[in-house]
Amino acid sequence: MVYCSVSSVAQYPVQLHVANQLVYSAHDYPASVYNQPWFSASNYPANLPGIWDKFWGSIVKQNLAPVWLGEFGTMLQTQSDQQWLTTLTNYLGTGASGISWTFWSWNPDSGDTGGILENDWLTVDQAKQAYLTPIEFPLNGSSGGGTTTPTN
């Protein structure tokens, strides 16, 4: 994994022979998974958008390249983790214009985050789902709710 900041992406852009084929994938986790100094800052969780801007968010905001938040997750067992997830889902935005994301993980046996599914592998963890529902949208790009049927 390569760590980069917005300044390095702007200063050293990846030049591909075929344009528009690069997506940066960020991973972000709360203090219960990987503690960082910003989790104990006096202005936590209000400081988080600035942290995300520094490391990956401004890549999207400055239209340097697309970003996919490829991993984020939590067991939601602490107030700090709940604040982190609330702030993060607000930061990601909604609909097709928001930052793309994948919650880690679907299966319940991720040791530090658990999953969307509870330990029976069938039941959706409604507490986690409640954070994600506002930022979900149909993959066909429409703004309406409901289920979409894939087409070939």
Side-chain angles (χ1 to χ4, degrees):
M1 177 176 290
V2 175
Y3 294 94
C4 63
S5 67
V6 174
S7 61
S8 62
V9 171
Q11 187 175 1
Y12 305 105
V14 175
Q15 301 293 322
L16 300 174
H17 293 291
V18 179
N20 301 318
Q21 300 295 307
L22 174 70
V23 175
Y24 287 92
S25 178
H27 297 182
D28 207 284
Y29 287 99
S32 64
V33 175
Y34 193 79
N35 200 11
Q36 295 287 336
W38 48 81
F39 294 122
S40 58
S42 62
N43 61 342
Y44 178 82
N47 63 332
L48 292 175
I51 299 295
W52 297 324
D53 281 349
K54 177 181 176 184
F55 289 108
W56 52 268
S58 285
I59 296 170
V60 175
K61 291 180 178 181
Q62 294 176 20
N63 202 29
L64 299 173
V67 170
W68 169 48
L69 186 56
E71 287 186 23
F72 70 99
T74 174
M75 288 195 181
L76 289 177
Q77 293 180 336
T78 67
Q79 180 181 8
S80 175
D81 282 16
Q82 294 164 17
Q83 292 171 320
W84 167 84
L85 187 54
T86 297
T87 307
L88 181 60
T89 55
N90 288 334
Y91 183 85
L92 292 174
T94 59
S97 63
I99 296 172
S100 297
W101 56 270
T102 303
F103 190 87
W104 184 264
S105 71
W106 178 251
N107 50 296
D109 57 352
S110 175
D112 50 7
T113 65
I116 294 293
L117 293 181
E118 293 184 7
N119 287 334
D120 65 4
W121 286 74
L122 299 170
T123 307
V124 171
D125 182 323
Q126 293 301 317
K128 290 180 183 179
Q129 186 62 47
Y131 286 89
L132 301 175
T133 297
I135 62 173
E136 292 176 340
F137 65 95
L139 292 179
N140 68 4
S142 72
S143 59
T147 304
T148 60
T149 303
T151 58
N152 294 331

